């Protein structure tokens, strides 16, 4: 209970911005323009439309735009089928989203959100274009999940108007949005973005510009280690089952499929120059990308998917992981269950007492016997527990 109380107040505290005066004026957000109608752009458009905000949704060509609008229609149809709201409400929300291939209407937007894929070159090109169409008092936001906000802002003449606005996927469902400040981001801009998140019924958290910000600075090592588990003997289904049984809302491989395997692949390309020789990196994700198994959006990723978008374990992926691991000589002797129990208990105790006192009051009774929940029959012997490549 004490941990839940702590979480309650922490969530409210993080939405307050300590160094911004309370009397700083906040401009109302009446119209938002979005560049990119992919998974994130479409989700952000729905989040805004659901809150009564007019949206202009742009993509490079009609095919991409039609694909994005089709996804929006499917999501609303699913919500109608589940009784969340009526067809009339859905039709009204869809009508508030204007889809187009040009920049018409961007000139009177209060906020422009770039939601293109993770490419620094592409994002810089978009922001250079926005420089010529946006009002001087329009906030220019990027939905990047990992890239340098200051580098993106460097192509504009108004870096103080640029901010990171990282919605989590799917944006129309997930409440969290990270407001990421660059070196030059104005305080009023940060406050306005907090207001935008509130109007879109999002829970806000603030952070400074760094690789992965807050959410993905935790998520990327998490995903990396999960892929190592798969390469060393577990299946994606086993890892996800362990995580779900432990209390996570979803397993990490299912999360990767939902967000899009192409997202993780593009992040890897942007940061490959930082790889250190001899440091291990996951191998299977790149192969899934080149097989065009991008997750839910293509009907196959780590899992296969039907019309209900529920993950279906795929023997083809299990075989791919095994072949890749054997080629790389990752698979070895089974990891003894008793040894796993000892390591899990040591890690949990250290983390709880040194870093997360609340965990000692909130942990389920069986958490110290983590191996009983992991259900991983084949774990290779790990030669080290703490790695020296946790990200920069």
């Amino acid at each position: 209970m004490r941990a839940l109380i702590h979480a309650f107040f922490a969530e409210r505290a993080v939405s307050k911005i300590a160094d911004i005066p309370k009397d700083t004026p906040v401009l109302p957000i009446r119209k938002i323009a979005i560049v990119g109608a992919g998974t994130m752009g479409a989700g952000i458009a729905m989040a805004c439309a659901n809150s009564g905000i007019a949206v202009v949704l742009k993509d490079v060509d009609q095919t991409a735009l039609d694909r994005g609008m089709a996804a929006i229609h499917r999501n609303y149809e699913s919500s109608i089928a589940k009784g969340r709201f009526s067809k009339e409400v859905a039709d009204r929300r869809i009508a508030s989203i204007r889809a187009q291939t040009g920049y018409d209407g961007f000139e009177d937007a209060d906020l422009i959100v770039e939601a293109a894929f993770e490419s620094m070159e592409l994002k810089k090109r978009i922001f250079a274009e926005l420089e010529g169409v946006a009002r001087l008092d329009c906030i220019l936001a990027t939905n990047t999940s990992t890239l340098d906000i200051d580098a993106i802002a460097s192509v504009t003449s108004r870096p103080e108007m640029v901010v990171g606005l990282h919605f989590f996927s799917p944006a129309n469902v997930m409440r969290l949005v990270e407001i990421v400040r660059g070196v030059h981001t104005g305080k009023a801009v940060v406050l306005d973005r907090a207001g935008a998140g509130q109007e879109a019924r999002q829970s806000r958290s603030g952070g400074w510009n760094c690789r992965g910000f807050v959410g993905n600075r935790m998520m990327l090592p998490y995903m990396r280690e999960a892929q190592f588990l798969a390469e060393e003997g577990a299946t994606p289904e086993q890892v996800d089952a362990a995580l779900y049984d432990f209390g996570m809302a979803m397993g990490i491989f299912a999360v990767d499929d939902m967000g899009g395997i192409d997202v993780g692949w593009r992040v890897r390309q942007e940061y490959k120059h930082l790889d250190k020789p001899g440091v291990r990196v996951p191998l299977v994700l790149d192969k899934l990308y080149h097989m065009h198994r991008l997750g839910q959006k293509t009907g196959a990723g780590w899992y296969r998917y039907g019309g209900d978008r529920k993950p279906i374990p795929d023997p083809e992926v299990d075989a791919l992981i095994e072949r890749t691991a054997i080629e790389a000589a990752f698979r070895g002797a089974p990891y003894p269950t008793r040894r796993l129990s000892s390591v899990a208990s040591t890690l949990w105790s250290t983390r709880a007492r040194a870093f997360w006192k609340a965990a000692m009051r909130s942990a389920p009774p069986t958490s110290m016997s983590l191996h009983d929940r992991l259900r991983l029959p084949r774990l290779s012997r790990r030669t080290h527990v703490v790695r020296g490549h946790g990200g920069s």
Side-chain angles (χ1 to χ4, degrees):
M1 180 58 71
R2 292 178 65 184
L4 292 175
I5 293 172
H6 172 79
F8 176 86
F9 285 107
E11 185 170 305
R12 279 146 186 79
V14 79
S15 65
K16 298 175 182 177
I17 307 171
D19 63 335
I20 297 180
K22 292 183 179 180
D23 59 354
T24 302
V26 179
L27 296 174
I29 304 297
R30 300 187 182 90
K31 181 177 180 180
I32 292 178
I34 302 169
V35 181
T39 301
M40 290 308 304
I44 295 169
M46 284 186 284
C48 295
N50 291 347
S51 300
I53 304 172
V55 178
V56 177
L57 181 62
K58 175 193 180 301
D59 214 313
V60 290
D61 57 46
Q62 194 61 46
T63 300
L65 203 59
D66 290 344
R67 190 163 52 241
M69 289 305 298
I72 290 174
H73 278 272
R74 283 196 303 273
N75 274 286
Y76 279 124
E77 287 166 3
S78 175
S79 294
I80 293 169
K82 294 174 182 176
R84 291 176 180 167
F85 42 73
S86 66
K87 185 177 184 304
E88 290 72 25
V89 169
D91 290 343
R92 187 164 59 248
R93 293 177 181 180
I94 292 172
S96 70
I97 302 172
R98 192 174 90 198
Q100 59 188 51
T101 57
Y103 281 113
D104 295 343
F106 275 59
E107 68 280 356
D108 60 351
D110 302 302
L111 165 66
I112 298 176
V113 180
E114 167 273 308
F117 57 76
E118 290 288 89
S119 163
M120 180 62 76
E121 180 183 359
L122 175 60
K123 290 179 185 294
K124 283 185 173 181
R125 185 164 71 247
I126 291 171
F127 270 74
E129 293 173 356
L130 293 177
E131 178 84 355
V133 298
R135 299 192 324 242
L136 291 178
D137 62 344
C138 175
I139 309 301
L140 305 180
T142 173
N143 183 58
T144 181
S145 58
T146 59
L147 300 181
D148 187 341
I149 304 296
D150 295 318
I152 295 170
S154 69
V155 300
T156 76
S157 62
R158 40 177 160 171
E160 72 280 359
M161 303 300 289
V162 177
V163 68
L165 198 59
H166 176 217
F167 287 78
F168 284 71
S169 181
N172 57 305
V173 176
M174 298 291 288
R175 293 183 60 240
L176 183 62
V177 58
E178 287 181 302
I179 303 164
V180 185
R181 304 167 71 165
V183 170
H184 302 290
T185 304
K187 291 183 178 181
V189 171
V190 176
L191 192 61
D192 283 346
R193 290 323 92 227
Q198 191 170 32
E199 290 190 46
R201 297 177 187 173
Q202 303 292 117
S203 175
R204 295 96 62 208
S205 70
W208 291 91
N209 188 22
C210 63
R211 181 179 176 182
F213 316 135
V214 178
N216 279 325
R217 203 170 179 83
M218 294 185 289
M219 181 66 78
L220 294 176
Y222 174 27
M223 183 66 219
R224 180 191 66 220
E225 295 297 325
Q227 290 183 58
F228 287 166
L229 283 175
E231 290 174 357
E232 293 171 3
T235 65
E237 180 189 14
Q238 288 173 327
V239 175
D240 279 1
L243 293 168
Y244 183 80
D245 289 348
F246 190 64
M248 300 294 189
M250 294 177 67
I252 187 63
F253 288 102
V255 169
D256 201 28
D257 275 352
M258 182 176 64
I261 284 174
D262 51 322
V263 176
W265 183 85
R266 293 186 188 281
V267 170
R268 281 273 303 123
Q269 309 318 299
E270 290 292 327
Y271 285 106
K272 266 191 173 180
H273 64 286
L274 297 178
D275 285 352
K276 298 176 182 178
V279 173
R280 180 181 171 187
V281 296
L283 301 176
V284 178
L285 183 140
D286 285 6
K287 295 188 176 186
L288 292 175
Y289 173 83
H290 290 297
M291 293 167 65
H292 199 63
R293 295 183 65 117
L294 306 183
Q296 289 187 14
K297 67 180 77 175
T298 59
W302 294 103
Y303 297 100
R304 288 185 294 109
Y305 294 89
D308 59 3
R309 290 185 289 186
K310 291 183 178 179
I312 303 169
D314 192 341
E316 182 180 350
V317 172
D318 295 343
L320 172 67
I321 294 172
E322 185 170 5
R323 287 196 307 272
T324 303
I326 290 172
E327 290 168 4
F330 287 150
R331 300 220 166 185
Y335 202 108
T337 299
R338 194 168 298 173
R339 172 67 172 165
L340 176 60
S341 172
S342 174
V343 171
S345 298
T346 300
L347 292 177
W348 177 267
S349 178
T350 302
R351 179 187 181 194
R353 294 187 181 280
F355 304 117
W356 187 24
K357 285 188 176 181
M360 297 301 291
R361 294 185 290 273
S362 64
T366 55
S367 64
M368 295 303 289
S369 300
L370 189 58
H371 67 284
D372 290 334
R373 291 178 162 205
L374 281 174
R375 302 195 311 217
L376 304 181
R378 294 280 300 176
L379 280 175
S380 293
R381 185 177 301 278
R382 301 293 290 272
T383 58
H384 53 279
V385 174
V386 180
R387 302 179 183 276
H389 59 282
S392 58

PDB file of all heavy atoms in Angstrom, residues 289-316:
ATOM      1  N   TYR A 289      13.611  -7.769 -39.664  1.00  0.00           N
ATOM      2  CA  TYR A 289      13.375  -6.549 -40.446  1.00  0.00           C
ATOM      3  C   TYR A 289      13.557  -6.826 -41.939  1.00  0.00           C
ATOM      4  O   TYR A 289      12.714  -6.439 -42.761  1.00  0.00           O
ATOM      5  CB  TYR A 289      14.321  -5.436 -39.993  1.00  0.00           C
ATOM      6  CG  TYR A 289      14.244  -4.206 -40.868  1.00  0.00           C
ATOM      7  CD1 TYR A 289      13.254  -3.241 -40.660  1.00  0.00           C
ATOM      8  CD2 TYR A 289      15.135  -4.012 -41.919  1.00  0.00           C
ATOM      9  CE1 TYR A 289      13.156  -2.123 -41.475  1.00  0.00           C
ATOM     10  CE2 TYR A 289      15.050  -2.898 -42.730  1.00  0.00           C
ATOM     11  CZ  TYR A 289      14.066  -1.947 -42.501  1.00  0.00           C
ATOM     12  OH  TYR A 289      13.982  -0.845 -43.335  1.00  0.00           O
ATOM     13  N   HIS A 290      14.641  -7.502 -42.302  1.00  0.00           N
ATOM     14  CA  HIS A 290      14.910  -7.764 -43.725  1.00  0.00           C
ATOM     15  C   HIS A 290      13.957  -8.799 -44.312  1.00  0.00           C
ATOM     16  O   HIS A 290      13.812  -8.876 -45.545  1.00  0.00           O
ATOM     17  CB  HIS A 290      16.366  -8.191 -43.900  1.00  0.00           C
ATOM     18  CG  HIS A 290      17.343  -7.080 -43.656  1.00  0.00           C
ATOM     19  ND1 HIS A 290      17.387  -5.930 -44.435  1.00  0.00           N
ATOM     20  CD2 HIS A 290      18.299  -6.911 -42.704  1.00  0.00           C
ATOM     21  CE1 HIS A 290      18.337  -5.120 -43.994  1.00  0.00           C
ATOM     22  NE2 HIS A 290      18.885  -5.681 -42.941  1.00  0.00           N
ATOM     23  N   MET A 291      13.278  -9.561 -43.446  1.00  0.00           N
ATOM     24  CA  MET A 291      12.232 -10.479 -43.907  1.00  0.00           C
ATOM     25  C   MET A 291      10.893  -9.760 -44.013  1.00  0.00           C
ATOM     26  O   MET A 291       9.878 -10.364 -44.351  1.00  0.00           O
ATOM     27  CB  MET A 291      12.110 -11.653 -42.937  1.00  0.00           C
ATOM     28  CG  MET A 291      13.320 -12.573 -42.916  1.00  0.00           C
ATOM     29  SD  MET A 291      13.289 -13.722 -41.494  1.00  0.00           S
ATOM     30  CE  MET A 291      11.838 -14.715 -41.882  1.00  0.00           C
ATOM     31  N   HIS A 292      10.887  -8.479 -43.706  1.00  0.00           N
ATOM     32  CA  HIS A 292       9.681  -7.635 -43.680  1.00  0.00           C
ATOM     33  C   HIS A 292       8.666  -8.144 -42.665  1.00  0.00           C
ATOM     34  O   HIS A 292       7.466  -7.992 -42.814  1.00  0.00           O
ATOM     35  CB  HIS A 292       9.036  -7.527 -45.064  1.00  0.00           C
ATOM     36  CG  HIS A 292       8.115  -6.344 -45.187  1.00  0.00           C
ATOM     37  ND1 HIS A 292       8.539  -5.033 -45.075  1.00  0.00           N
ATOM     38  CD2 HIS A 292       6.770  -6.268 -45.394  1.00  0.00           C
ATOM     39  CE1 HIS A 292       7.520  -4.211 -45.212  1.00  0.00           C
ATOM     40  NE2 HIS A 292       6.433  -4.926 -45.399  1.00  0.00           N
ATOM     41  N   ARG A 293       9.158  -8.712 -41.588  1.00  0.00           N
ATOM     42  CA  ARG A 293       8.318  -9.087 -40.445  1.00  0.00           C
ATOM     43  C   ARG A 293       8.420  -7.936 -39.457  1.00  0.00           C
ATOM     44  O   ARG A 293       9.280  -7.935 -38.567  1.00  0.00           O
ATOM     45  CB  ARG A 293       8.790 -10.399 -39.827  1.00  0.00           C
ATOM     46  CG  ARG A 293       8.659 -11.609 -40.745  1.00  0.00           C
ATOM     47  CD  ARG A 293       9.077 -12.883 -40.007  1.00  0.00           C
ATOM     48  NE  ARG A 293       8.178 -13.167 -38.899  1.00  0.00           N
ATOM     49  CZ  ARG A 293       7.408 -14.244 -38.802  1.00  0.00           C
ATOM     50  NH1 ARG A 293       7.392 -15.138 -39.765  1.00  0.00           N
ATOM     51  NH2 ARG A 293       6.635 -14.420 -37.745  1.00  0.00           N
ATOM     52  N   LEU A 294       7.559  -6.955 -39.598  1.00  0.00           N
ATOM     53  CA  LEU A 294       7.682  -5.713 -38.835  1.00  0.00           C
ATOM     54  C   LEU A 294       6.735  -5.651 -37.641  1.00  0.00           C
ATOM     55  O   LEU A 294       6.631  -4.607 -36.996  1.00  0.00           O
ATOM     56  CB  LEU A 294       7.438  -4.512 -39.754  1.00  0.00           C
ATOM     57  CG  LEU A 294       8.308  -4.448 -41.009  1.00  0.00           C
ATOM     58  CD1 LEU A 294       8.017  -3.172 -41.800  1.00  0.00           C
ATOM     59  CD2 LEU A 294       9.788  -4.557 -40.680  1.00  0.00           C
ATOM     60  N   GLY A 295       6.038  -6.747 -37.350  1.00  0.00           N
ATOM     61  CA  GLY A 295       5.127  -6.754 -36.209  1.00  0.00           C
ATOM     62  C   GLY A 295       3.679  -6.762 -36.634  1.00  0.00           C
ATOM     63  O   GLY A 295       3.324  -7.251 -37.713  1.00  0.00           O
ATOM     64  N   GLN A 296       2.830  -6.190 -35.805  1.00  0.00           N
ATOM     65  CA  GLN A 296       1.390  -6.205 -36.072  1.00  0.00           C
ATOM     66  C   GLN A 296       1.044  -5.570 -37.406  1.00  0.00           C
ATOM     67  O   GLN A 296       0.130  -6.008 -38.093  1.00  0.00           O
ATOM     68  CB  GLN A 296       0.642  -5.489 -34.944  1.00  0.00           C
ATOM     69  CG  GLN A 296       0.612  -6.242 -33.632  1.00  0.00           C
ATOM     70  CD  GLN A 296      -0.283  -5.578 -32.606  1.00  0.00           C
ATOM     71  OE1 GLN A 296      -1.082  -4.694 -32.931  1.00  0.00           O
ATOM     72  NE2 GLN A 296      -0.155  -5.976 -31.346  1.00  0.00           N
ATOM     73  N   LYS A 297       1.778  -4.528 -37.782  1.00  0.00           N
ATOM     74  CA  LYS A 297       1.447  -3.783 -39.004  1.00  0.00           C
ATOM     75  C   LYS A 297       1.571  -4.638 -40.263  1.00  0.00           C
ATOM     76  O   LYS A 297       0.913  -4.355 -41.272  1.00  0.00           O
ATOM     77  CB  LYS A 297       2.322  -2.541 -39.120  1.00  0.00           C
ATOM     78  CG  LYS A 297       3.786  -2.806 -39.342  1.00  0.00           C
ATOM     79  CD  LYS A 297       4.592  -1.522 -39.441  1.00  0.00           C
ATOM     80  CE  LYS A 297       4.804  -0.912 -38.069  1.00  0.00           C
ATOM     81  NZ  LYS A 297       5.694   0.281 -38.136  1.00  0.00           N
ATOM     82  N   THR A 298       2.409  -5.678 -40.234  1.00  0.00           N
ATOM     83  CA  THR A 298       2.555  -6.559 -41.402  1.00  0.00           C
ATOM     84  C   THR A 298       1.995  -7.958 -41.143  1.00  0.00           C
ATOM     85  O   THR A 298       2.103  -8.837 -41.992  1.00  0.00           O
ATOM     86  CB  THR A 298       4.041  -6.687 -41.811  1.00  0.00           C
ATOM     87  OG1 THR A 298       4.796  -7.215 -40.704  1.00  0.00           O
ATOM     88  CG2 THR A 298       4.605  -5.339 -42.222  1.00  0.00           C
ATOM     89  N   GLY A 299       1.398  -8.150 -39.965  1.00  0.00           N
ATOM     90  CA  GLY A 299       0.808  -9.448 -39.636  1.00  0.00           C
ATOM     91  C   GLY A 299       1.798 -10.472 -39.126  1.00  0.00           C
ATOM     92  O   GLY A 299       1.424 -11.610 -38.826  1.00  0.00           O
ATOM     93  N   ALA A 300       3.067 -10.078 -39.008  1.00  0.00           N
ATOM     94  CA  ALA A 300       4.080 -11.007 -38.512  1.00  0.00           C
ATOM     95  C   ALA A 300       5.298 -10.236 -38.036  1.00  0.00           C
ATOM     96  O   ALA A 300       5.724  -9.266 -38.663  1.00  0.00           O
ATOM     97  CB  ALA A 300       4.496 -11.998 -39.606  1.00  0.00           C
ATOM     98  N   GLY A 301       5.838 -10.688 -36.907  1.00  0.00           N
ATOM     99  CA  GLY A 301       7.064 -10.121 -36.368  1.00  0.00           C
ATOM    100  C   GLY A 301       7.717 -11.211 -35.543  1.00  0.00           C
ATOM    101  O   GLY A 301       8.042 -12.275 -36.067  1.00  0.00           O
ATOM    102  N   TRP A 302       7.876 -10.981 -34.250  1.00  0.00           N
ATOM    103  CA  TRP A 302       8.298 -12.067 -33.358  1.00  0.00           C
ATOM    104  C   TRP A 302       7.198 -13.129 -33.287  1.00  0.00           C
ATOM    105  O   TRP A 302       7.460 -14.306 -33.059  1.00  0.00           O
ATOM    106  CB  TRP A 302       8.578 -11.532 -31.961  1.00  0.00           C
ATOM    107  CG  TRP A 302       9.754 -10.609 -31.888  1.00  0.00           C
ATOM    108  CD1 TRP A 302       9.723  -9.245 -31.794  1.00  0.00           C
ATOM    109  CD2 TRP A 302      11.145 -10.965 -31.901  1.00  0.00           C
ATOM    110  NE1 TRP A 302      10.999  -8.729 -31.743  1.00  0.00           N
ATOM    111  CE2 TRP A 302      11.892  -9.764 -31.805  1.00  0.00           C
ATOM    112  CE3 TRP A 302      11.827 -12.170 -31.979  1.00  0.00           C
ATOM    113  CZ2 TRP A 302      13.289  -9.753 -31.794  1.00  0.00           C
ATOM    114  CZ3 TRP A 302      13.218 -12.163 -31.963  1.00  0.00           C
ATOM    115  CH2 TRP A 302      13.931 -10.972 -31.877  1.00  0.00           C
ATOM    116  N   TYR A 303       5.952 -12.689 -33.475  1.00  0.00           N
ATOM    117  CA  TYR A 303       4.785 -13.578 -33.515  1.00  0.00           C
ATOM    118  C   TYR A 303       4.074 -13.397 -34.853  1.00  0.00           C
ATOM    119  O   TYR A 303       4.388 -12.492 -35.633  1.00  0.00           O
ATOM    120  CB  TYR A 303       3.800 -13.223 -32.392  1.00  0.00           C
ATOM    121  CG  TYR A 303       4.333 -13.389 -30.992  1.00  0.00           C
ATOM    122  CD1 TYR A 303       4.782 -12.285 -30.259  1.00  0.00           C
ATOM    123  CD2 TYR A 303       4.372 -14.640 -30.377  1.00  0.00           C
ATOM    124  CE1 TYR A 303       5.260 -12.426 -28.965  1.00  0.00           C
ATOM    125  CE2 TYR A 303       4.843 -14.797 -29.075  1.00  0.00           C
ATOM    126  CZ  TYR A 303       5.295 -13.683 -28.376  1.00  0.00           C
ATOM    127  OH  TYR A 303       5.760 -13.831 -27.098  1.00  0.00           O
ATOM    128  N   ARG A 304       3.067 -14.238 -35.098  1.00  0.00           N
ATOM    129  CA  ARG A 304       2.128 -14.036 -36.192  1.00  0.00           C
ATOM    130  C   ARG A 304       0.864 -13.406 -35.622  1.00  0.00           C
ATOM    131  O   ARG A 304       0.562 -13.542 -34.430  1.00  0.00           O
ATOM    132  CB  ARG A 304       1.775 -15.358 -36.873  1.00  0.00           C
ATOM    133  CG  ARG A 304       2.907 -15.940 -37.714  1.00  0.00           C
ATOM    134  CD  ARG A 304       2.457 -17.187 -38.464  1.00  0.00           C
ATOM    135  NE  ARG A 304       2.136 -18.290 -37.562  1.00  0.00           N
ATOM    136  CZ  ARG A 304       0.923 -18.741 -37.319  1.00  0.00           C
ATOM    137  NH1 ARG A 304      -0.128 -18.151 -37.879  1.00  0.00           N
ATOM    138  NH2 ARG A 304       0.719 -19.761 -36.504  1.00  0.00           N
ATOM    139  N   TYR A 305       0.078 -12.752 -36.475  1.00  0.00           N
ATOM    140  CA  TYR A 305      -1.131 -12.068 -36.017  1.00  0.00           C
ATOM    141  C   TYR A 305      -2.285 -12.294 -36.986  1.00  0.00           C
ATOM    142  O   TYR A 305      -2.109 -12.296 -38.210  1.00  0.00           O
ATOM    143  CB  TYR A 305      -0.880 -10.560 -35.877  1.00  0.00           C
ATOM    144  CG  TYR A 305       0.114 -10.242 -34.797  1.00  0.00           C
ATOM    145  CD1 TYR A 305       1.474 -10.195 -35.080  1.00  0.00           C
ATOM    146  CD2 TYR A 305      -0.293 -10.062 -33.473  1.00  0.00           C
ATOM    147  CE1 TYR A 305       2.399  -9.950 -34.081  1.00  0.00           C
ATOM    148  CE2 TYR A 305       0.628  -9.816 -32.471  1.00  0.00           C
ATOM    149  CZ  TYR A 305       1.970  -9.755 -32.786  1.00  0.00           C
ATOM    150  OH  TYR A 305       2.885  -9.527 -31.798  1.00  0.00           O
ATOM    151  N   GLY A 306      -3.488 -12.488 -36.396  1.00  0.00           N
ATOM    152  CA  GLY A 306      -4.706 -12.569 -37.173  1.00  0.00           C
ATOM    153  C   GLY A 306      -5.484 -11.268 -37.054  1.00  0.00           C
ATOM    154  O   GLY A 306      -4.940 -10.231 -36.656  1.00  0.00           O
ATOM    155  N   GLY A 307      -6.772 -11.323 -37.352  1.00  0.00           N
ATOM    156  CA  GLY A 307      -7.586 -10.121 -37.317  1.00  0.00           C
ATOM    157  C   GLY A 307      -7.744  -9.517 -35.937  1.00  0.00           C
ATOM    158  O   GLY A 307      -7.972  -8.312 -35.799  1.00  0.00           O
ATOM    159  N   ASP A 308      -7.614 -10.338 -34.874  1.00  0.00           N
ATOM    160  CA  ASP A 308      -7.789  -9.833 -33.515  1.00  0.00           C
ATOM    161  C   ASP A 308      -6.485  -9.278 -32.928  1.00  0.00           C
ATOM    162  O   ASP A 308      -6.461  -8.802 -31.796  1.00  0.00           O
ATOM    163  CB  ASP A 308      -8.336 -10.926 -32.597  1.00  0.00           C
ATOM    164  CG  ASP A 308      -7.433 -12.158 -32.533  1.00  0.00           C
ATOM    165  OD1 ASP A 308      -6.347 -12.146 -33.167  1.00  0.00           O
ATOM    166  OD2 ASP A 308      -7.810 -13.126 -31.851  1.00  0.00           O
ATOM    167  N   ARG A 309      -5.399  -9.359 -33.699  1.00  0.00           N
ATOM    168  CA  ARG A 309      -4.083  -8.820 -33.306  1.00  0.00           C
ATOM    169  C   ARG A 309      -3.522  -9.477 -32.037  1.00  0.00           C
ATOM    170  O   ARG A 309      -2.706  -8.892 -31.343  1.00  0.00           O
ATOM    171  CB  ARG A 309      -4.136  -7.297 -33.145  1.00  0.00           C
ATOM    172  CG  ARG A 309      -4.309  -6.571 -34.454  1.00  0.00           C
ATOM    173  CD  ARG A 309      -4.248  -5.070 -34.287  1.00  0.00           C
ATOM    174  NE  ARG A 309      -5.417  -4.551 -33.606  1.00  0.00           N
ATOM    175  CZ  ARG A 309      -5.674  -3.260 -33.432  1.00  0.00           C
ATOM    176  NH1 ARG A 309      -4.817  -2.360 -33.854  1.00  0.00           N
ATOM    177  NH2 ARG A 309      -6.764  -2.864 -32.821  1.00  0.00           N
ATOM    178  N   LYS A 310      -3.945 -10.700 -31.758  1.00  0.00           N
ATOM    179  CA  LYS A 310      -3.376 -11.428 -30.631  1.00  0.00           C
ATOM    180  C   LYS A 310      -2.149 -12.198 -31.105  1.00  0.00           C
ATOM    181  O   LYS A 310      -2.167 -12.810 -32.179  1.00  0.00           O
ATOM    182  CB  LYS A 310      -4.413 -12.390 -30.034  1.00  0.00           C
ATOM    183  CG  LYS A 310      -5.558 -11.683 -29.333  1.00  0.00           C
ATOM    184  CD  LYS A 310      -6.520 -12.678 -28.703  1.00  0.00           C
ATOM    185  CE  LYS A 310      -7.641 -11.957 -27.959  1.00  0.00           C
ATOM    186  NZ  LYS A 310      -8.611 -12.915 -27.354  1.00  0.00           N
ATOM    187  N   PRO A 311      -1.063 -12.192 -30.326  1.00  0.00           N
ATOM    188  CA  PRO A 311       0.166 -12.863 -30.766  1.00  0.00           C
ATOM    189  C   PRO A 311       0.020 -14.378 -30.816  1.00  0.00           C
ATOM    190  O   PRO A 311      -0.495 -14.992 -29.894  1.00  0.00           O
ATOM    191  CB  PRO A 311       1.198 -12.433 -29.716  1.00  0.00           C
ATOM    192  CG  PRO A 311       0.397 -12.049 -28.510  1.00  0.00           C
ATOM    193  CD  PRO A 311      -0.900 -11.510 -29.020  1.00  0.00           C
ATOM    194  N   ILE A 312       0.480 -14.954 -31.919  1.00  0.00           N
ATOM    195  CA  ILE A 312       0.458 -16.401 -32.111  1.00  0.00           C
ATOM    196  C   ILE A 312       1.903 -16.866 -32.265  1.00  0.00           C
ATOM    197  O   ILE A 312       2.603 -16.425 -33.183  1.00  0.00           O
ATOM    198  CB  ILE A 312      -0.340 -16.777 -33.378  1.00  0.00           C
ATOM    199  CG1 ILE A 312      -1.766 -16.220 -33.301  1.00  0.00           C
ATOM    200  CG2 ILE A 312      -0.345 -18.292 -33.571  1.00  0.00           C
ATOM    201  CD1 ILE A 312      -2.520 -16.314 -34.612  1.00  0.00           C
ATOM    202  N   PRO A 313       2.399 -17.730 -31.366  1.00  0.00           N
ATOM    203  CA  PRO A 313       3.782 -18.207 -31.487  1.00  0.00           C
ATOM    204  C   PRO A 313       4.036 -18.791 -32.873  1.00  0.00           C
ATOM    205  O   PRO A 313       3.190 -19.498 -33.433  1.00  0.00           O
ATOM    206  CB  PRO A 313       3.883 -19.270 -30.394  1.00  0.00           C
ATOM    207  CG  PRO A 313       2.859 -18.852 -29.374  1.00  0.00           C
ATOM    208  CD  PRO A 313       1.716 -18.268 -30.164  1.00  0.00           C
ATOM    209  N   ASP A 314       5.206 -18.493 -33.426  1.00  0.00           N
ATOM    210  CA  ASP A 314       5.523 -18.888 -34.795  1.00  0.00           C
ATOM    211  C   ASP A 314       6.761 -19.781 -34.809  1.00  0.00           C
ATOM    212  O   ASP A 314       7.870 -19.323 -34.505  1.00  0.00           O
ATOM    213  CB  ASP A 314       5.778 -17.633 -35.640  1.00  0.00           C
ATOM    214  CG  ASP A 314       5.815 -17.940 -37.122  1.00  0.00           C
ATOM    215  OD1 ASP A 314       6.001 -19.106 -37.488  1.00  0.00           O
ATOM    216  OD2 ASP A 314       5.661 -16.998 -37.923  1.00  0.00           O
ATOM    217  N   PRO A 315       6.603 -21.056 -35.167  1.00  0.00           N
ATOM    218  CA  PRO A 315       7.758 -21.969 -35.236  1.00  0.00           C
ATOM    219  C   PRO A 315       8.838 -21.471 -36.187  1.00  0.00           C
ATOM    220  O   PRO A 315      10.019 -21.771 -35.995  1.00  0.00           O
ATOM    221  CB  PRO A 315       7.138 -23.284 -35.744  1.00  0.00           C
ATOM    222  CG  PRO A 315       5.686 -23.199 -35.365  1.00  0.00           C
ATOM    223  CD  PRO A 315       5.335 -21.742 -35.478  1.00  0.00           C
ATOM    224  N   GLU A 316       8.452 -20.705 -37.214  1.00  0.00           N
ATOM    225  CA  GLU A 316       9.442 -20.174 -38.151  1.00  0.00           C
ATOM    226  C   GLU A 316      10.411 -19.227 -37.437  1.00  0.00           C
ATOM    227  O   GLU A 316      11.625 -19.244 -37.703  1.00  0.00           O
ATOM    228  CB  GLU A 316       8.740 -19.432 -39.298  1.00  0.00           C
ATOM    229  CG  GLU A 316       9.705 -18.884 -40.344  1.00  0.00           C
ATOM    230  CD  GLU A 316       8.995 -18.142 -41.470  1.00  0.00           C
ATOM    231  OE1 GLU A 316       7.753 -18.221 -41.550  1.00  0.00           O
ATOM    232  OE2 GLU A 316       9.686 -17.480 -42.254  1.00  0.00           O
TER     233      GLU A 316
END
